[in-house]
Amino acid sequence: MRNNFRKAFAILFLATVFIIIGVFLGTQTTTAFAPSFTSCKDYYDIKAYAQCEVEKHWPEQWESFSWIVKHESGWAHTVENKTSGAYGLMQALPRSKMATHGDIHDPQVQIRWGIDYIKERYKSPARAKAFHIEQKRKCIEKGEVAPEKCEGWY
């Protein structure tokens, strides 16, 4: 009986050691091959690309950034405002502003330009969103136009 106990203990001990080693190696492997946020250009889906780029600058502000783009363009990179001429995901006005970052028709260029624009003007997507909401509130409060006309950044 004592020999059976020793064998069972040895098997249990070895199994535990192998599990611990497996978990450790699994963690190491996962970490070594985890996607890094330095190669965002590998993402072909524009939202995945945008999230990758945004999280480089503001790890906790993807929701605010996404809200802005959804509001501005509905995530359509070729949309043009027929009234103002604003263009693209971020509704750049004039559209030529984005040329500093590359081809203005490339959605990745539009995202990079938008990030830089937000950084320079608002400091963060959360502050840009708050500014936009406040501007709309003021516009509605004035009552000079119908609430649905109170759109845009300014």
Side-chain angles (χ1 to χ4, degrees), residues 28-40 42-43 48 52 55-56:
Q28 292 291 77
T29 303
T30 303
T31 303
F33 295 104
S36 82
F37 288 116
T38 58
S39 59
C40 296
D42 294 339
Y43 290 101
C52 179
E55 288 181 354
K56 284 184 192 178

Side-chain angles (χ1 to χ4, degrees), residues 43-59:
Y43 290 101
Y44 295 103
D45 175 74
I46 192 57
K47 286 184 184 179
Y49 172 80
Q51 185 170 3
C52 179
E53 286 290 339
V54 167
E55 288 181 354
K56 284 184 192 178
H57 304 278
W58 307 285

Side-chain angles (χ1 to χ4, degrees), residues 47 50-51 54-55 58 60-66 75:
K47 286 184 184 179
Q51 185 170 3
V54 167
E55 288 181 354
W58 307 285
E60 302 296 323
Q61 297 205 22
W62 165 246
E63 293 301 321
S64 291
F65 186 88
S66 182
W75 285 98

Side-chain angles (χ1 to χ4, degrees), residues 57-58 61 117-128:
H57 304 278
W58 307 285
Q61 297 205 22
Y117 177 77
I118 288 171
K119 240 194 284 186
E120 184 180 313
R121 179 164 179 148
Y122 303 100
K123 307 298 182 226
S124 73
R127 289 179 70 177

Side-chain angles (χ1 to χ4, degrees), residues 55-93:
E55 288 181 354
K56 284 184 192 178
H57 304 278
W58 307 285
E60 302 296 323
Q61 297 205 22
W62 165 246
E63 293 301 321
S64 291
F65 186 88
S66 182
W67 182 92
I68 292 164
V69 178
K70 185 176 190 292
H71 175 81
E72 290 295 326
S73 65
W75 285 98
H77 75 280
T78 59
V79 71
E80 180 178 0
N81 182 310
K82 299 298 181 202
T83 306
S84 69
Y87 178 78
L89 293 166
M90 305 300 292
Q91 290 293 283
L93 183 63

Side-chain angles (χ1 to χ4, degrees), residues 9-46:
F9 179 79
I11 290 171
L12 182 61
F13 176 77
L14 287 174
T16 304
V17 168
F18 286 127
I19 289 170
I20 290 170
I21 289 171
V23 167
F24 177 75
L25 289 177
T27 302
Q28 292 291 77
T29 303
T30 303
T31 303
F33 295 104
S36 82
F37 288 116
T38 58
S39 59
C40 296
K41 289 186 181 198
D42 294 339
Y43 290 101
Y44 295 103
D45 175 74
I46 192 57

